[in-house]
Amino acid sequence: MKITHAELSKSAVRHIQYPKDELPEIALAGRSNVGKSSFINRLIQRKSLARTSSVPGKTQTLNFYQLNHSFYFVDVPGYGYAKVSKAERKKWGPMMEEYFESRANLKAVVLVTDIRHEPSNDDMKMYAYLKYLNHPVIVVATKTDKIKRGRKHSHLNRTIQLLDLDREDTIIPFSAVTGEGKEQVWNHIEHYLFS
Ligand code: GTP
Ligand code: MG
């Protein structure tokens, strides 16, 4: 998909601050620093609309990016970062639960994992939670530019096994650096947004 218009419309920590126009949404989920914001930038071909950082914990609010005036990507703070203060972590749970459990126009969740590593306990919990809520999930195994080609297949299979990936869900190898997987990801996202 060609993105001709992109803007950060809202940063929210509570339901009352979410956009009210009822456009369909795709949300990101994943460990802190895994590459969620970089994923958004690569998909929409903007270098730094979504703020990224080599320091974990960059994204701290739900950020609603409106695209082509027709849908949103929702960038979400990552989980599993130990150095975030206890007070911050306490806020994170309710903020995420309120979003994932109440957002009617959420069409699918992109769960970003790191292709170099096995899914963490938090990744497995997150996937199970999203399935419990009946959200379709696209697993994006990112940073393929960091592993040897030959190892990709076994990494993907291991992730499928450990997450216990549903038959309706899909896993796509991806790199924000090379753009690998971008077209395939868009095909799935468009399917969930507009069908
Ligand atoms: P939080 O907002 O802290 O939850 O992090 P995030 O998941 O949004 O991660 P972000 O996109 O900020 O990326 C974290 C780091 O990983 C940055 O240094 C990125 O440049 C790097 N990175 C992200 N995607 C890729 C990728 O596909 N390949 C490589 N080599 N590096 C990547
Ligand atoms: Mg981020």
Side-chain angles (χ1 to χ4, degrees):
M1 181 181 296
K2 188 162 165 40
I3 299 300
T4 52
H5 171 265
E7 67 173 312
L8 173 61
S9 326
K10 289 263 155 75
S11 288
V13 293
R14 296 199 40 217
H15 193 248
I16 189 125
Q17 303 162 323
Y18 300 169
K20 292 179 181 61
D21 46 24
E22 301 193 351
L23 294 175
E25 282 169 14
I26 301 289
L28 278 290
R31 193 166 64 60
S32 190
N33 215 231
V34 70
K36 297 176 294 300
S37 301
S38 304
F39 168 89
I40 292 179
N41 290 332
R42 169 53 85 165
L43 254 74
I44 67 179
Q45 298 290 39
R46 300 290 195 283
K47 249 187 219 133
S48 55
L49 186 67
R51 301 289 301 280
T52 65
S53 169
S54 55
V55 181
K58 182 72 194 171
T59 308
Q60 302 221 339
T61 52
L62 298 164
N63 294 332
F64 293 80
Y65 294 95
Q66 197 195 73
L67 304 167
N68 290 358
H69 306 285
S70 58
F71 63 98
Y72 289 97
F73 277 176
V74 187
D75 198 9
V76 159
Y79 46 75
Y81 179 50
K83 281 189 190 151
V84 172
S85 73
K86 220 176 183 175
E88 283 297 322
R89 263 179 284 162
K90 260 194 168 157
K91 277 193 273 177
W92 190 92
M95 177 167 77
M96 306 303 289
E97 281 168 18
E98 186 179 29
Y99 179 76
F100 284 118
E101 293 174 23
S102 75
R103 191 63 169 160
N105 34 337
L106 176 59
K107 299 298 179 185
V109 179
V110 171
L111 177 63
V112 183
T113 65
D114 187 328
I115 196 158
R116 295 171 298 175
H117 308 298
E118 294 199 336
S120 67
N121 279 331
D122 286 338
D123 291 333
M124 292 186 255
K125 271 193 230 161
M126 190 67 191
Y127 182 73
Y129 172 66
L130 294 170
K131 294 325 290 179
Y132 165 75
L133 295 172
N134 285 321
H135 293 307
V137 178
I138 303 164
V139 179
V140 164
T142 195
K143 304 192 183 178
T144 55
D145 58 284
K146 294 225 182 197
I147 62 164
K148 292 208 179 82
R149 260 166 181 266
R151 298 188 54 202
K152 235 190 278 180
H153 199 68
S154 65
H155 273 267
L156 291 174
N157 280 336
R158 191 77 188 122
T159 303
I160 291 168
Q161 274 175 17
L162 283 170
L163 293 181
D164 194 14
L165 197 77
D166 262 35
R167 293 219 338 238
E168 309 88 85
D169 291 339
T170 182
I171 182 166
I172 302 170
F174 182 86
S175 166
V177 171
T178 65
E180 178 183 355
K182 192 181 132 187
E183 288 311 313
Q184 207 187 339
V185 170
W186 265 127
N187 287 341
H188 282 85
I189 287 178
E190 285 177 60
H191 164 78
Y192 288 122
L193 280 174
F194 305 119
S195 65

